[in-house]
Amino acid sequence: MNKFLAFTLSALLSSSLMAYSDSDMDGVEDSLDKCPNTPFTDLVNSNGCSIQKLTPKVNYHHFDVIVGANYTGSNLVNTPATDNYSASLQIDYYYKDFSLQATTSYYSLDSDDGYNDSGMNDSYIGAAYTLHPTKDLSVRLGLGALLPTYKSSLNNNNTDYSASVNVSYMLNKLNLFGTYIYTNINDDDVTITLSDGSSYSILYNDTNAYSLGVGYYFTNSLYISGAYNQTESIYKDVNTDAKTVSTYVYYGIDKHWFMNFAYAYGISDTASDNAVSIKLGYYF
């Protein structure tokens, strides 16, 4: 081929390829684009001007499933020492600031006096909604029910109801929080007659529980908190509140898997000596 002809064809081809330019990649050539620099996700007309914003669809529906292993050791005054082991299952549903929760557990109890027992604990279902008065302050309101899946030998177990308020305030990575829980106890009062003819009564009352604590986000995946907790007894003749101090650790393994660990130490005669739980969850 003639070198001049080859050069001419090459130049024409190059100029034809380089003549088309679409800087904002909207499908309309720059020379005809009356609205340059339109967002990449916008739908445009033949003039290159936006006629519809195509926003990605956001999925606000999320779930998690959490399985746990738990231990509570008690050595209360005038009662045998007990070890309580349990396996728990928790399922949560989230939609924006609204959430639903269901949890249940199976326990095995061993006592120093030789008494052993196992079965279902009471199960819980609840709903919560979180308010955001400011960007750093959140208030979580909850309602729930404790279902009588625990089989009491007294046959007096009924559904209990609870209402809660949790307040959380962020100071950079520092988290200050407090919780109040009111539980309406509906178990039937009972009178037990002993073999010698004497009797005693078990009377129940509603309870109030409080918690105050501070936490810190070391990273986006690691959060550690400590808290003071106090709750009234469900029994009318027990006038001393159960008091504990506790720590909680959350660790996000990846965008789906996470773990948490909790430990509580009893600082009153009516509280369990030690309580430990470790849980593994999957979020989707």
Side-chain angles (χ1 to χ4, degrees):
M1 178 181 291
N2 184 284
K3 289 184 178 181
F4 175 75
L5 179 58
F7 175 79
T8 302
L9 290 174
S10 176
L12 289 173
L13 181 60
S14 299
S15 63
S16 65
L17 289 174
M18 296 177 64
Y20 182 85
S21 177
D22 182 11
S23 300
D24 56 5
M25 301 179 67
D26 61 358
V28 179
E29 186 180 350
D30 286 347
S31 62
L32 302 175
D33 198 335
K34 295 182 180 179
C35 299
N37 303 317
T38 53
F40 182 73
T41 56
D42 281 14
L43 184 65
V44 301
N45 59 19
S46 58
N47 294 319
C49 297
S50 299
I51 58 175
Q52 183 179 353
K53 292 188 177 296
L54 302 177
T55 56
K57 184 178 179 180
V58 179
N59 182 17
Y60 293 106
H61 301 275
H62 296 283
F63 299 85
D64 66 31
V65 178
I66 305 171
V67 293
N70 316 281
Y71 166 78
T72 302
S74 301
N75 190 12
L76 305 179
V77 177
N78 298 325
T79 61
T82 60
D83 294 311
N84 190 321
Y85 303 89
S86 66
S88 59
L89 172 65
Q90 177 178 326
I91 299 174
D92 300 297
Y93 165 74
Y94 306 94
Y95 179 75
K96 296 183 179 181
D97 291 319
F98 175 76
S99 64
L100 296 172
Q101 182 183 106
T103 181
T104 190
S105 62
Y106 186 90
Y107 74 91
S108 176
L109 176 70
D110 297 319
S111 176
D112 276 1
D113 64 357
Y115 175 75
N116 300 308
D117 191 20
S118 61
M120 297 293 296
N121 284 310
D122 283 348
S123 300
Y124 175 82
I125 56 171
Y129 187 82
T130 302
L131 305 172
H132 303 277
T134 70
K135 69 181 185 67
D136 296 318
L137 177 66
S138 62
V139 179
R140 187 171 185 263
L141 307 175
L143 292 173
L146 281 166
L147 306 178
T149 51
Y150 169 71
K151 301 302 181 183
S152 169
S153 60
L154 301 176
N155 295 317
N156 67 330
N157 197 12
N158 297 310
T159 301
D160 303 325
Y161 300 95
S162 67
S164 64
V165 179
N166 174 268
V167 179
S168 175
Y169 186 75
M170 293 298 302
L171 289 170
N172 295 320
K173 294 185 177 182
L174 190 69
N175 174 223
L176 306 176
F177 61 88
T179 301
Y180 167 74
I181 303 174
Y182 172 80
T183 304
N184 171 227
I185 305 296
N186 291 307
D187 294 350
D188 298 326
D189 295 339
V190 294
T191 298
I192 298 176
T193 302
L194 303 178
S195 57
D196 61 1
S198 62
S199 63
Y200 67 94
S201 297
I202 301 177
L203 308 176
Y204 300 92
N205 54 211
D206 299 345
T207 64
N208 298 282
Y210 316 86
S211 179
L212 289 173
V214 59
Y216 190 81
Y217 288 89
F218 290 88
T219 68
N220 290 335
S221 300
L222 179 62
Y223 171 79
I224 300 177
S225 68
Y228 168 81
N229 317 284
Q230 181 171 333
T231 182
E232 297 173 344
S233 173
I234 65 172
Y235 303 108
K236 283 187 177 180
D237 60 348
V238 177
N239 298 316
T240 304
D241 293 352
K243 301 174 183 178
T244 63
V245 289
S246 62
T247 186
Y248 171 83
V249 179
Y250 169 90
Y251 178 68
I253 301 170
D254 57 30
K255 68 177 183 178
H256 293 296
W257 292 97
F258 61 92
M259 295 183 66
N260 60 57
F261 169 83
Y263 171 74
Y265 177 76
I267 57 175
S268 68
D269 290 339
T270 53
S272 298
D273 293 342
N274 299 279
V276 181
S277 73
I278 184 168
K279 298 180 179 181
L280 176 66
Y282 185 83
Y283 176 84
F284 56 97

